Amino acid sequence: MVREISVGNVVFGGNRPLVLIAGPCAIEDEALTLRIAAFLKELTTELGIGLVFKASYDKANRTSVTSFRGPGMTEGLRILAKVKAEFDLPLISDIHDISQIAPAAEVLDIIQIPAFLSRQTDLLVAAGESGKIINVKKGQFLAPWDMKNAVGKIESTGNDRILLTERGASFGYNNLVVDMRSLVIMRETGCPVIFDATHAVQLPGGAGTASSGQRQYVGALSRAAVAIGIDGLFWEVHENPDKALCDGPNSLPLQDLKGMLQDILAIDAIAKGHNGN
């Protein structure tokens, strides 16, 4: 049985309804971040779905040295703290080295380990020692059954508040593919499992000096994953994805979210036997 993990009034796991993790890929500026948070808060309240707000203060693994990375940790955490204060939302963001854990833990409710760092023992252990909920993104190079080792590293600290996220596996050059079996296999660890549908349609480095993406497939993959019985869905969203400074090609426009979520929540209720309740 998958354990339940609570953050504020949001609960992942068990047989609870789906939780949405959403926000812009990177913090571009304070005003845009607050507008997106306000939109997501209103929408998820209307639909009765739990929300965790996501935005990165630093995107350390961009394709090019000239790519936009975000405002940095100090300014980014200040903006995220304002999101929490104004909208009473749990927060998640990435950390990239051990020195970031302590300041991030003062603001974030969930510390995220990026996919490329999912084997880094010292980082996983230090994150676990923070006592925060840890979301580990499965590396594009890892088999789903390998994630039990990442779980074991964090659990060695006495922290079992762990989420696992599927975001696709490398499939040749500049392409990812999702093995839906991985969602089932990773849930066998007892950890709630998240499906990162927007990164799953990313084409890493596909635009030469930047990644490309195929956002037209996000809805189909999301519906398939939810039908399996996952615990959370991860979407990067933007007011105007074509002008986003990070991951625009695989981000969803805000105006598309309501219809997609209504369909997905109906599937989630059937998959978990909630009968829409």
Side-chain angles (χ1 to χ4, degrees), residues 33-91:
T33 304
L34 292 173
R35 287 198 304 273
I36 293 175
F39 178 92
L40 292 170
K41 173 78 172 186
E42 181 177 355
L43 176 62
T44 54
T45 298
E46 177 187 349
L47 297 179
I49 182 174
L51 172 66
V52 176
F53 186 79
K54 181 270 171 188
S56 295
Y57 53 79
D58 179 23
K59 299 295 290 186
N61 61 350
R62 297 305 307 278
T63 302
S64 168
V65 71
T66 61
S67 296
F68 176 77
R69 291 180 54 166
M73 184 171 64
T74 301
E75 175 65 3
L77 289 175
R78 183 193 68 79
I79 292 171
L80 288 173
K82 191 166 184 179
V83 169
K84 179 184 285 189
E86 290 199 14
F87 303 106
D88 190 28
L89 290 173
L91 302 173

Side-chain angles (χ1 to χ4, degrees), residues 1-264:
M1 180 67 174
V2 171
R3 67 178 67 100
E4 292 189 357
I5 298 177
S6 299
V7 50
N9 58 4
V10 174
V11 183
F12 292 92
N15 198 43
R16 297 294 191 114
L18 190 76
V19 174
L20 179 66
I21 299 174
C25 173
I27 297 170
E28 296 181 16
D29 60 55
E30 180 177 318
L32 175 65
T33 304
L34 292 173
R35 287 198 304 273
I36 293 175
F39 178 92
L40 292 170
K41 173 78 172 186
E42 181 177 355
L43 176 62
T44 54
T45 298
E46 177 187 349
L47 297 179
I49 182 174
L51 172 66
V52 176
F53 186 79
K54 181 270 171 188
S56 295
Y57 53 79
D58 179 23
K59 299 295 290 186
N61 61 350
R62 297 305 307 278
T63 302
S64 168
V65 71
T66 61
S67 296
F68 176 77
R69 291 180 54 166
M73 184 171 64
T74 301
E75 175 65 3
L77 289 175
R78 183 193 68 79
I79 292 171
L80 288 173
K82 191 166 184 179
V83 169
K84 179 184 285 189
E86 290 199 14
F87 303 106
D88 190 28
L89 290 173
L91 302 173
I92 182 172
S93 193
D94 313 91
I95 53 106
H96 300 91
D97 61 61
I98 292 173
S99 69
Q100 295 182 2
I101 294 174
E106 293 182 5
V107 176
L108 304 179
D109 300 280
I110 305 174
I111 290 175
Q112 183 163 283
I113 306 296
F116 286 125
L117 300 177
S118 57
R119 280 177 55 98
Q120 296 299 105
T121 302
D122 290 347
L123 185 64
L124 290 167
V125 170
E129 289 173 342
S130 73
K132 291 289 182 175
I133 299 170
I134 310 299
N135 180 38
V136 187
K137 286 198 167 184
K138 179 176 75 63
Q140 300 91 324
F141 46 86
L142 288 177
W145 43 85
D146 290 335
M147 290 301 286
K148 68 180 183 297
N149 297 315
V151 171
K153 291 173 183 180
I154 297 170
E155 287 183 337
S156 72
T157 69
N159 185 349
D160 67 353
R161 300 202 300 159
I162 305 164
L163 308 173
L164 299 179
T165 294
E166 169 63 58
R167 49 95 12 103
S170 295
F171 188 69
Y173 299 126
N174 305 120
N175 198 14
L176 299 170
V177 67
V178 178
D179 179 359
M180 290 292 174
R181 296 174 301 176
S182 70
L183 302 171
V184 179
I185 293 167
M186 289 197 296
R187 282 185 105 238
E188 291 171 355
T189 63
C191 299
V193 167
I194 316 301
F195 178 55
D196 182 350
T198 47
H199 279 108
V201 300
Q202 189 181 60
L203 301 176
T209 58
S211 292
S212 186
Q214 299 173 314
R215 79 170 71 98
Q216 67 268 30
Y217 300 124
V218 170
L221 288 176
S222 297
R223 291 191 295 273
V226 170
I228 288 171
I230 57 172
D231 306 289
L233 195 59
F234 185 114
W235 284 348
E236 290 190 329
V237 303
H238 199 277
E239 289 181 342
N240 186 347
D242 291 334
K243 293 188 177 180
L245 300 181
C246 179
D247 277 7
N250 51 272
S251 294
L252 293 172
L254 297 182
Q255 64 266 26
D256 290 355
L257 301 188
K258 183 175 181 178
M260 292 176 67
L261 279 173
Q262 287 173 323
D263 290 344
I264 283 165

